[in-house]
Amino acid sequence: MVVDDWLVWLRDFRTEATAFVQNVVAAPEDAKDAELQSIRFAIYARLLTLLDTAIRQAEADKQLELRITAREIIECSIHLEAAARIPEYVETIKDDDRASKRSLVKAANDDQPPSDPATRRLVQEFMNNKTAKRVQPTDLGKGSDFKRLILIYREISSDSAHVTLTSLGRHVRADEDGVNRMIIDPSLDDGELFQTMSGIALSALLCTWLLVKAVPSSEGSAELIRLGQRYQSIYRRDKRLEHHGS
């Protein structure tokens, strides 16, 4: 099965990555660097949390759930790579956060405006600030050297992550009598499985490399290097399965 060797790889990577982060200490020179470094570590922690979920889904053969989780893992790699490449990255995601909160406050206010005049005024002042803008992972990925990950992210977004006609098509299938049947836990084909698992593994490697690069005092272990070599071996073996467009 396509997923087996990749699953072994993910388990081994998770073990080594945990040991790696337990020994990493960053001492930024100024407050701005400290903030960026904190974000980097938070992204990596999120990556490992999602990786645990992906491993459990692969073990349970929950293939569609695994593909959706892969999208979130790839998003971590897009952010961490952008943090290394885009000087204004910190302000960009702060702006995104402000825009998201504004949208939430507006929705709550539309549903049930506060009765207190002073509170209404504060809410209105907050909503009047429309300078903040949302940012999409694909926007952060512009200019990236890792276009494969951006492509996988876009494909999963189209065929699995959202309620679209394409994604819904996975859940209905005609039987031998031509009757449409509802499919729960639809399977991926081998090409999609390869794309999903290799995308998760590449994201994990990329994020680790970026964290090592961002913390000069850290060192990647010899085992992490061997995991990179194992990734290349499995990738070359299974690349023939890859296809684009689901």
Side-chain angles (χ1 to χ4, degrees), residues 102-145:
R102 180 185 176 279
S103 176
L104 180 61
V105 169
K106 184 179 184 306
N109 186 67
D110 289 346
D111 179 61
Q112 187 174 353
S115 57
D116 177 59
T119 303
R120 276 203 309 273
R121 185 170 59 255
L122 288 172
V123 169
Q124 192 59 49
E125 288 174 358
F126 181 79
M127 290 193 301
N128 285 342
N129 182 5
K130 301 179 181 180
T131 58
K133 296 180 180 179
R134 297 301 306 271
V135 62
Q136 297 296 325
T138 47
D139 294 332
L140 291 175
K142 292 176 181 177
S144 171
D145 290 330

Side-chain angles (χ1 to χ4, degrees), residues 8 30 94 140 166 198 246:
V8 172
D30 59 50
K94 282 184 176 181
L140 291 175
T166 299
S198 63
S246 300

Side-chain angles (χ1 to χ4, degrees), residues 88-113:
E88 63 275 14
Y89 171 77
V90 172
E91 188 51 44
T92 297
I93 63 167
K94 282 184 176 181
D95 211 35
D96 175 77
D97 199 48
R98 285 190 291 267
S100 178
K101 289 177 179 176
R102 180 185 176 279
S103 176
L104 180 61
V105 169
K106 184 179 184 306
N109 186 67
D110 289 346
D111 179 61
Q112 187 174 353

Side-chain angles (χ1 to χ4, degrees), residues 9-25:
W9 189 98
L10 291 180
R11 291 193 190 110
D12 291 344
F13 174 86
R14 181 64 174 83
T15 299
E16 292 303 317
T18 301
F20 163 66
V21 295
Q22 287 173 343
N23 296 312
V24 174
V25 177

Side-chain angles (χ1 to χ4, degrees), residues 55 59 146:
I55 289 169
E59 290 170 340
F146 299 91

